[in-house]
Amino acid sequence: MTHPEKSHGRTIPERTSPRHISLTVKAGLIPAFSQLLQNGFWIKGYVGCSVKSFLCEQFGLAPEYLEKRIQTIFLDGDVVDDVEKTVIEDGATLSLSAAMPGLAGAVLRKGGYYAAMRDQISFKGETTSASMQSGKILVKLFNMPLQELGPVFLEHGIQVESNKVKDVLKARADDFERGCGEVLADGRKFEFKQLLEMDWGGGDIFLQVKIV
Amino acid sequence: MNILRIDMGASGGPKVSVVPSGEYAGLGGRALTSSVISKEVPPLCHPLSEDNKLVIAPGLLSGTSAAQSGRISVGCKSPLTGGIKESNSGGQASQVLARLGYQAIILEGKPKAGELYKIFINKDGVKITPDSSLCMLGNYDLVEKMKKEYGDKIACISIGPAGEMKMSAASVAFTDMEQRPTRHAGRGGPGAVMGSKGVKVIVLDDTGLSNRTAKDPEKLRTANKTFVDGLRKHPVTGEGLPAFGTNILANVINEAGAYPTNNFLVGRFPGTSKISGETQAETEKARGGIPTHGCHRGCVIQCSGVYMDKDGHYLTKQPEYETVWAHGANCGIDDLDAIAMMDRLDDDYGVDTIEMGATIGVAMEAGLAKFGDAEAAIRLVKEVGKGTDLGRILGNGAAVTGKVFGIERVPVVKSQAMPAYDPRAVQGIGVTYATSTMGADHTAGYAVATNILKVGGYVDPLKPEGQIDLSRNLQIATAAIDSTGMCLFIAFAVLDQPDTFQALIDMLNAFYGLNLTADDVVALGKSVLKMERDFNARAGFTAKHDRLPEYFKKEPLPPHNVTFQVTDEDLDKVYNW
C-alpha cells in the first residue's frame, strides 16, 4: 500500500508491501514491544472522521474508556480537547495517554480547567467532518493506554519498521526463544531462530503478536 | 512543640536553645521556614554570612499516622537566587524530627573557618561534636559512617562535598527508608548555607518515641482513611505514578513539544522512548529493581523506585522526571544508565539534579562537551565532586557557568535553572517561572487544586488574561499545600475529588482540634507569598526580575515554532490581589 499524499504539510513515505509476521508469545514478553508502541505504529482505517469515531467505531474502544481513561490526547503534537469534533486526517499522528501528574499534566488534559495555559499548542485544525476515505495513521501509546491497549493493537496487527522489530526480538532473543510459541512469516511456520536469521530487508512489516 | 535553635557561632562552641514556638505556633513546612527567614534574616545579608539562617521544618502532620505527611521544608536566603528560598524533600527525617518533638531546627551564626560538626538528636537531647574525619565525604559514605556510629534506626540530614565547598547548587540530603541519602532539598543551594554553618550532618534517632497524638484520634483515623482511599482510587496517584514514577511525564511532555532538548534549543527529543518512565520501569523490573516504592513510611502514592545497574546491583533511587530530563534530553543523552549514574553522583556530592543538568547543558553549548556525549557529561559532574576550578564553576549553577563561558542562552530566572517544561510551549508555566518568589520553579504553581480551593474566585480560562489569574491562584494554592507539609502529588486527587480535599482539612482539624476551612488554607497561602515577596523586595528584587530570558521571546521553539508571548505588563499583574 502506498501513501504518496501530503498531509499536515509533510510527505508520507512510499512503502513497500509489508510482509506479515505473526508471533504467539507469553504475556511476560509483551513489555518487550513497549518502545515500539511508544514510538508509534501505523494502523489502517477510514480517516476524515472524528477521533472518537476512529477509535470507538473502527477499533472498538469503549466510549467510556476514551472519556474517562484517556485524559490526554495529541493530534500531530497539538492537544486535543474535543474528541467528537476533532477530525483525523490521513497520515496524522495520534498519541494517547492517561491523566498526568503535576501542573503540566493538568494543563495538557483534554478540555481541562487549565487549557488557557497551553493555548499555543491546542488543536485548532479541522473540526468539521470531512468525507471519509481509507488511510492510515500513526498511533503512539503511553503509560496506562500502553499497558491496556498495547496488547489489543498488537493482536489486531500494527505496521512498523522491520529493522526496529528485529532489534526488539534480537535484544531479548533468549527470552523469545523460550517464550515464543507459533512463529509465522507470510503464513508459513518457522522456528524463532530462523526468523532472526532471515533477511528482513528494509521498509515496514505488518506485525501481529498474540498472547498464549 | 518546640523550636531547636543552634547558634553555630557562639563563643565557646555551638550553643543549643530549645524554645517554645511563640509567634510561630501553628505553622509548619514552608509557612514556618518563610516566616522565620522573613522576620529574622536581614534581606541584604550575604547568604553565606553569619546573619543568614537555615530553617528545617517538618509539615503540620509529620510524625503522625496521616498519609503523605513526610515532606520537610528547608528555608534560607538562597545563595543561588539571592532571594528567599524554600526547598522541600521527602525522606524519613520529617517524621522522625516531628516525633522528637521539634517544630523546626534553626541553624544560626557561623563557626570559625574549617570547623565541621555533626549533630546528634534523640529523646535525651542534642549533642554537637566537631568531627574533621567527615570532611569532604560523599553523602553515601557519610551515612554509612553514621550508621556504624549510631546504629541503623537513624535518619540523616546531610551535605556532601558541594555543600562544604559552598556551591550555589548544593543540596541538603535526607535519608530514605533504606537509609540512603537519596532525597534532596535541592533547589536554590540550601546545602551551601548548611556548609557555611559548619554542619556536615544532623543525625536523628527517635528510638523510644511514638507517633504524635491527635486531639481527636478517631476523627484523624477516619479522615486519613478517606484521604488514602481517595489517593488510591485516583488514576494518577493510584495507578500512573506508582507504575511509572514521575518520569511518566517524559513521553507526554515530549509529544506536546515542550520537552527542552539540547539546552532548550528544540521541544522534542528523538530518544525520549529510551528514557521514558515506561522504559525506566521495565528496565528496573528486568534488573531486579523496584519501580513502585515510597520515599518515606506512610507514603501511599509510591512514585519512587530503585534503579539497578546492568549487573543487578543498586545504583541509585529511581531518577525523577526532572532528573532524567536534565541529564537526559537537555543534554541530548538517551542512555538511562548514564543518567542514573549522574543521579547517583549528584546525590553523593550533594547537588541539585535540575541545576546540574541545566548547567551541563549550558557547558555543552559552550563547547565543553558535545550534546549527546554521556561520558563527557559524567566527567563534568565528577569535576564538581572533585572541586576542580572547572567543577567549582559548574557547581555554582547554570547562570554562573553561562557568564564564565560567555553564553547568552542560559535558561534561568532569578539565576535558578528552569525545570523540564519549555515555557514557550506551555506559556502558563512560563508565567509561574517568571514570577515565582523562588526563581524558575515547576513546583511553585503545582497545586492544581485551585478550583476546589476556590482560590481567586471564578477564572475564565478562555480569556487571554486567564493564565495570569491561573498562575497567581496556582502559586497561592501551592504555598498553602507546601505549608501543610503534605506531598504535592496529592494535588491531583484533591483536584478531582472534593471529598479527598475535605479529608485533608479534616485531618488537620482532627489533629489540632481546629475548625479550619478551605478559606483559611487559602489565606495561609496568600500570607506566605506576601511574606516571601516582601523579603525579596527588601533584598533588592523588582519587577524586572520577574522575567524570562529575552531569547524565549525571540527564538521560536520547534516543533510548534512558538515564542513566549506573555507581555511584561501582564506578568506584573500576577501579584495584584
Side-chain angles (χ1 to χ4, degrees), chain B residues 21-327:
Chain B
S21 297
E23 62 181 322
Y24 303 119
L27 299 179
R30 179 173 167 184
L32 179 53
T33 62
S34 288
S35 292
V36 172
I37 299 304
S38 176
K39 287 176 183 168
E40 300 185 16
V41 173
L44 295 173
C45 77
H46 193 288
L48 303 178
S49 73
E50 62 181 356
D51 290 333
N52 199 3
K53 300 190 180 191
L54 190 79
V55 186
I56 304 169
L60 288 173
L61 292 172
S62 296
T64 76
S65 57
Q68 308 305 129
S69 62
R71 297 298 290 188
I72 191 162
S73 290
V74 181
C76 59
K77 175 173 175 172
S78 166
L80 187 75
T81 70
I84 199 165
K85 174 56 64 180
E86 186 267 355
S87 182
N88 60 60
S89 172
Q92 283 293 101
S94 188
Q95 308 283 18
V96 176
L97 186 58
R99 276 196 287 269
L100 283 163
Y102 294 112
Q103 186 186 3
I105 298 172
I106 303 178
L107 301 179
E108 306 171 329
K110 187 176 180 178
K112 281 184 280 183
E115 289 179 337
L116 198 61
Y117 291 90
K118 64 187 174 195
I119 299 173
F120 178 70
I121 305 172
N122 68 0
K123 63 182 172 56
D124 301 319
V126 181
K127 189 177 177 187
I128 305 175
T129 316
D131 189 343
S132 58
S133 73
L134 308 180
C135 184
M136 295 303 276
L137 281 184
N139 278 312
Y140 273 90
D141 285 345
L142 173 68
V143 169
E144 283 306 307
K145 195 171 166 66
M146 292 301 101
K147 280 162 65 180
K148 283 180 186 159
E149 199 166 329
Y150 296 106
D152 59 2
K153 306 291 183 194
I154 56 171
C156 293
I157 305 170
S158 63
I159 56 171
E164 287 188 62
M165 292 186 276
K166 303 174 193 66
M167 293 173 172
S168 296
S171 63
V172 174
F174 297 87
T175 46
D176 58 21
M177 288 191 288
E178 288 73 33
Q179 293 182 315
R180 293 166 175 152
T182 62
R183 324 314 305 189
H184 289 248
R187 307 246 64 195
V193 178
M194 190 160 157
S196 75
K197 304 298 179 197
V199 177
K200 178 72 175 176
V201 60
I202 301 171
V203 181
L204 307 172
D205 184 350
D206 64 353
T207 301
L209 297 170
S210 50
N211 272 346
R212 296 164 65 203
T213 308
K215 293 267 187 191
D216 187 338
E218 188 53 38
K219 191 177 171 188
L220 176 65
R221 202 162 20 250
T222 304
N224 190 43
K225 184 177 183 311
T226 305
F227 188 64
V228 168
D229 288 347
L231 294 175
R232 286 197 170 131
K233 76 181 179 189
H234 193 277
V236 170
T237 49
E239 293 182 277
L241 283 171
F244 305 111
T246 55
N247 197 24
I248 190 174
L249 279 165
N251 270 322
V252 174
I253 303 302
N254 186 60
E255 199 62 17
Y259 199 46
T261 300
N262 292 1
N263 190 31
F264 287 74
L265 188 66
V266 296
R268 283 228 181 106
F269 180 49
T272 301
S273 71
K274 293 183 182 174
I275 61 173
S276 67
E278 294 88 330
T279 301
Q280 191 175 22
E282 289 303 330
T283 304
E284 287 166 355
K285 276 191 268 190
R287 294 177 179 180
I290 307 169
T292 306
H293 195 53
C295 74
H296 68 274
R297 291 193 184 89
C299 171
V300 175
I301 299 174
Q302 306 261 308
C303 71
S304 190
V306 177
Y307 192 95
M308 311 301 238
D309 65 16
K310 285 175 178 167
D311 299 321
H313 300 123
Y314 172 83
L315 178 57
T316 186
K317 91 287 192 182
Q318 175 175 281
E320 303 282 352
Y321 165 68
E322 306 291 342
T323 305
V324 174
W325 159 77
H327 283 306

Side-chain angles (χ1 to χ4, degrees), chain A residues 31 34-35 38-39 68-69 72 74 76-79 93 95 97-109 112-121 140-144 146-148, chain B residues 234-236 239-241 244 248-249 251-253 255-256 268 273-274 276 278-279 282 421 425-429 445-446 448-451 459 461 467 470-471 474 489 492 495-496 560 562 565:
Chain A
S34 168
Q35 284 192 54
Q38 293 174 56
N39 283 326
K68 293 186 177 172
R69 193 64 159 169
T72 316
F74 299 93
D76 291 321
D78 291 338
V79 184
T93 299
S95 308
S97 162
M100 289 291 98
L103 175 57
V107 166
L108 295 173
R109 253 195 214 191
Y113 183 80
Y114 299 105
M117 298 180 87
R118 43 87 172 157
D119 185 56
Q120 282 73 11
I121 60 168
K140 295 182 181 179
L141 298 177
F142 306 142
N143 49 75
M144 307 318 291
L146 171 66
Q147 288 188 336
E148 293 157 359
Chain B
H234 193 277
V236 170
E239 293 182 277
L241 283 171
F244 305 111
I248 190 174
L249 279 165
N251 270 322
V252 174
I253 303 302
E255 199 62 17
R268 283 228 181 106
S273 71
K274 293 183 182 174
S276 67
E278 294 88 330
T279 301
E282 289 303 330
Y421 315 87
V426 188
Q427 308 228 336
I429 289 182
Y446 210 82
V448 288
T450 52
N451 55 337
V459 171
Q467 55 197 338
L470 289 170
S471 176
L474 285 161
F489 281 122
F492 241 81
L495 167 72
D496 287 334
H560 293 290
V562 285
Q565 293 166 11

Side-chain angles (χ1 to χ4, degrees), chain B residues 538-562:
Chain B
R538 287 184 284 133
F541 283 79
T542 69
K544 288 186 172 57
H545 294 92
D546 289 343
R547 302 287 183 263
L548 299 187
E550 277 295 303
Y551 72 91
F552 284 93
K553 295 180 181 175
K554 296 174 182 170
E555 289 186 16
L557 178 77
H560 293 290
N561 295 316
V562 285

